[in-house]
Amino acid sequence: MSSSKEYMNGYVHLEESDMYESDGKLFLTEAFSVIMEEILHKGTDLKEKVCEWKDPDQLRALLDLDLREHGESHKQLLQRVRDVARYSVKTCHPRFFNQLFAGVDYHALTGRLLTESLNTSQYTYEVAPVFVLMEEEVLCKLRSLVGWSEGDGIFCPGGSMSNMYAMNAARYWAFPQVKTQGLWATPRMAIFTSQQSHYSMKKAAAFLGIGTDNIFIVKVDESGSMIPEDLEAQIVQAKSQDAVPFFVNATAGTTVQGAFDPLTRIADISERNGMWMHVDAAWGGSVLFSKKHKHLVAGIERANSVTWNPHKMLLAGLQCSVVLFRDTTNLLMHCHSAKATYLFQQDKFYDTSLDTGDKSIQCGRKVDCLKLWLMWKAIGTHGLSERVEKAFALARYLVEEMEKRDNFKLVCKGPFVNVCFWFIPPSLRGKENSADYQERLSKVAPVIKERMMKRGTMMVGYQPMDEHVNFFRMVVVSPQLTTKDMDFFLDEIEELGKDL
């Protein structure tokens, strides 16, 4: 009798499961309508706010974040979706200038939705046949833009991880015994990177056990580009301390100023000293699509590895980052493979070289190639080139208009789409020689930022850098932008800071 009762209980649960699936599909359909309306329609409308700012305590109360014993109703859950959409920053808004990514490409977004729906892992051909072949093709095309007819590569979860992959592969290339014997089997290693390079270099050195004290910081010129003569001096310094120079990181598009290091000269120095040359082109790599601007990365084909984030200037959507290698010896696989027999059986019925997952330090790996592939299919190489060149043109327009106004002072004229400037309010104009000028100027950007966030009209970042006090970094990237948006940006900064 008890077994029959247990069976009936199980039967009831099976019926509930079917009902739950039906309810779930209905919820997804209705939630998608909310997403379309609140994010993709309103979120891209100039009349709507970039964000509806709430202080943390207010936001916690509005969202009701507590997780309870029992589930909520369909109506309550849809309201949760609306609340998340309402109070989140609309990075797809034309006037979101805060990060190195912005806007939305609907073909790439479709690829992201398709990726999430299929929910597979990019490690073997048997579970991700379409995406293994697709990743191979996309990586091949990206390498060809760098200037390599052969090579290797992998999609990584962000530019920081791509840089870390490059550093780890370089260490294995220089000291292959490190994989099995660890750091005990290696000498003190030296890394070289500029003072304006991305902080992921420090994180990678720490994570890999090389140590941040073994990073030799190379000076930059006024534009933020690495000074080759100082690189050579730092290499001499490292050798004098019995450190072995093995890795130099050159940056193509620094985070703040958008500077490009002189890659050809750095390549010469790297080759003379037997070092691995990596180019962090996470931000600036997309200039390779532009015949007009790809001179900024002249010499990139001489690098051993390149990081590139299509989720930035190309709008592939977070996250979409690759690390590319010139190597043709399967270095990446040798460096990272663990030969897990439950995944990478060598007696499978298909070509096991298609099981690329052992190149990764991850096991489960998200599919990041589809969004880029579908967007590229939609607008072609020509469309991506136009996207890059439009961003450059709008940035030049913004600089020209800024120079016509007394309230704006450029930090420097950069070659890229980062526009760095101070806003000089009326109370500080003509007082550059005052003892407290710099201190007062440093307070301008934070106040204006607070005001714009609370008004919701736009978002732009600020930061101090080296000897410079807080200044704004405007990033022009979204293809939705026009010259009217550039004019609005300048007018809004003036409006927000006129009484300071």
Side-chain angles (χ1 to χ4, degrees):
M1 187 72 180
S2 60
S3 61
S4 175
K5 185 176 181 181
E6 287 170 4
Y7 174 80
M8 289 303 293
N9 283 339
Y11 182 77
V12 170
H13 290 312
L14 286 176
E15 286 298 308
E16 287 177 356
S17 177
D18 290 341
M19 290 171 60
Y20 175 78
E21 183 174 351
S22 176
D23 288 346
K25 288 178 179 177
L26 176 62
F27 173 73
L28 177 60
T29 302
E30 294 187 15
F32 190 74
S33 296
V34 174
I35 291 167
M36 287 294 295
E37 179 60 28
E38 298 299 324
I39 300 175
L40 299 175
H41 291 164
K42 290 183 180 178
T44 56
D45 188 342
L46 289 173
K47 297 188 291 294
E48 299 287 338
K49 292 182 177 182
V50 177
C51 74
E52 188 169 328
W53 177 260
K54 300 292 179 185
D55 290 325
D57 289 342
Q58 288 179 293
L59 190 57
R60 284 191 191 94
L62 285 166
L63 294 176
D64 185 17
L65 296 170
D66 187 32
L67 297 171
R68 301 180 179 87
E69 189 71 21
H70 298 288
E72 296 183 336
S73 70
H74 181 92
K75 182 178 179 181
Q76 285 175 305
L77 290 171
L78 281 177
Q79 186 57 47
R80 302 295 184 212
V81 175
R82 291 188 186 94
D83 288 343
V84 169
R86 178 178 180 181
Y87 297 114
S88 291
V89 174
K90 309 303 187 297
T91 63
C92 55
H93 195 285
R95 289 170 184 166
F96 175 82
F97 311 117
N98 209 67
Q99 314 301 143
L100 300 182
F101 63 89
V104 60
D105 180 282
Y106 293 100
H107 297 100
L109 179 57
T110 301
R112 290 152 69 188
L113 294 169
L114 189 51
T115 295
E116 294 297 333
S117 300
L118 288 168
N119 190 40
T120 193
S121 179
Q122 180 102 35
Y123 41 41
T124 63
Y125 182 80
E126 64 183 278
V127 295
V130 171
F131 302 127
V132 165
L133 298 180
M134 187 181 290
E135 181 178 60
E136 182 179 59
E137 178 62 27
V138 173
L139 290 171
C140 180
K141 195 72 173 180
L142 292 173
R143 284 195 304 269
S144 71
L145 289 168
V146 171
W148 301 332
S149 59
E150 297 179 286
D152 204 351
I154 194 168
F155 278 78
C156 298
S160 293
M161 286 301 297
S162 292
N163 287 339
M164 193 178 296
Y165 267 63
M167 190 181 292
N168 199 41
R171 182 176 64 175
Y172 179 81
W173 166 79
F175 308 104
Q177 70 274 22
V178 72
K179 180 176 179 179
T180 53
Q181 300 174 43
L183 292 173
W184 296 104
T186 65
R188 180 188 173 192
M189 290 172 273
I191 295 164
F192 304 87
T193 193
S194 87
Q195 67 189 79
Q196 288 196 20
S197 64
H198 194 260
Y199 65 86
S200 58
M201 285 295 119
K202 291 182 179 178
K203 287 182 176 277
F207 188 81
L208 296 174
I210 296 168
T212 56
D213 286 350
N214 294 313
I215 298 177
F216 290 76
I217 302 299
V218 184
K219 294 176 183 175
V220 298
D221 60 22
E222 288 184 2
S223 71
S225 299
M226 182 187 286
I227 300 172
E229 291 78 8
D230 194 56
L231 172 59
E232 293 189 286
Q234 292 298 326
I235 292 170
V236 171
Q237 175 74 8
K239 289 179 178 178
S240 73
Q241 297 176 15
D242 294 325
V244 178
F246 85 103
F247 184 86
V248 59
N249 173 62
T251 307
T254 58
T255 306
V256 178
Q257 285 186 276
F260 288 78
D261 290 343
L263 303 184
T264 298
R265 293 190 64 189
I266 293 169
D268 290 339
I269 296 167
S270 298
E271 289 172 6
R272 282 201 302 270
N273 289 276
M275 296 190 300
W276 180 285
M277 177 182 167
H278 175 64
V279 178
D280 178 3
W283 176 216
S286 296
V287 301
L288 286 165
F289 277 97
S290 168
K291 292 179 181 178
K292 186 176 181 180
H293 300 292
K294 68 178 181 180
H295 66 88
L296 291 168
V297 291
I300 194 170
E301 73 284 352
R302 294 178 63 187
N304 297 93
S305 55
V306 173
T307 288
W308 186 352
N309 286 8
H311 71 236
K312 290 178 176 165
M313 199 170 205
L314 298 183
L315 272 78
L318 288 163
Q319 57 198 15
C320 189
S321 177
V322 299
V323 59
L324 307 172
F325 293 90
R326 182 156 50 98
D327 171 79
T328 57
T329 67
N330 216 11
L331 181 73
L332 194 58
M333 181 71 82
H334 295 314
C335 179
H336 291 144
S337 66
K339 298 180 169 56
T341 56
Y342 76 95
L343 271 179
F344 306 115
Q345 304 93 333
Q346 295 305 297
D347 55 357
K348 291 181 178 180
F349 62 93
Y350 59 84
D351 180 1
T352 56
S353 68
L354 294 169
D355 290 352
T356 54
D358 226 8
K359 293 181 183 182
S360 170
I361 60 170
Q362 301 166 252
C363 178
R365 184 162 66 94
K366 189 178 180 67
V367 173
D368 285 328
C369 59
L370 174 57
K371 50 202 162 194
L372 175 57
W373 179 85
L374 195 58
M375 176 178 69
W376 204 331
K377 278 284 193 181
I379 66 175
T381 303
H382 180 71
L384 294 172
S385 173
E386 285 187 332
R387 186 166 289 180
V388 172
E389 293 185 2
K390 181 180 179 182
F392 271 89
L394 284 173
R396 298 291 82 79
Y397 173 85
L398 179 64
V399 169
E400 290 169 6
E401 293 302 306
M402 197 174 279
E403 290 179 322
K404 297 174 184 176
R405 306 194 188 202
D406 294 334
N407 289 333
F408 295 87
K409 181 182 178 183
L410 290 166
V411 174
C412 73
K413 267 193 176 182
F416 201 24
V417 296
N418 307 43
V419 181
C420 298
F421 66 94
W422 289 283
F423 176 73
I424 314 297
S427 65
L428 288 179
R429 234 173 293 159
K431 298 181 179 177
E432 291 82 0
N433 296 322
S434 301
D436 62 347
Y437 179 80
Q438 292 296 322
E439 181 185 354
R440 291 173 65 189
L441 182 61
S442 72
K443 296 176 181 177
V444 172
V447 173
I448 291 177
K449 178 65 179 279
E450 179 182 358
R451 290 177 177 181
M452 79 170 66
M453 291 289 290
K454 291 181 175 178
R455 283 177 66 161
T457 50
M458 61 185 192
M459 281 180 67
V460 63
Y462 73 87
Q463 63 284 302
M465 186 184 70
D466 300 330
E467 74 280 5
H468 297 312
V469 299
N470 286 326
F471 59 88
F472 288 107
R473 181 201 65 177
M474 167 66 165
V475 180
V476 183
V477 64
S478 173
Q480 299 160 273
L481 296 172
T482 67
T483 54
K484 289 182 180 179
D485 295 302
M486 301 298 98
D487 295 336
F488 174 86
F489 175 80
L490 296 174
D491 292 342
E492 185 71 359
I493 291 284
E494 287 185 332
E495 175 65 24
L496 293 166
K498 66 183 180 183
D499 63 336
L500 296 179

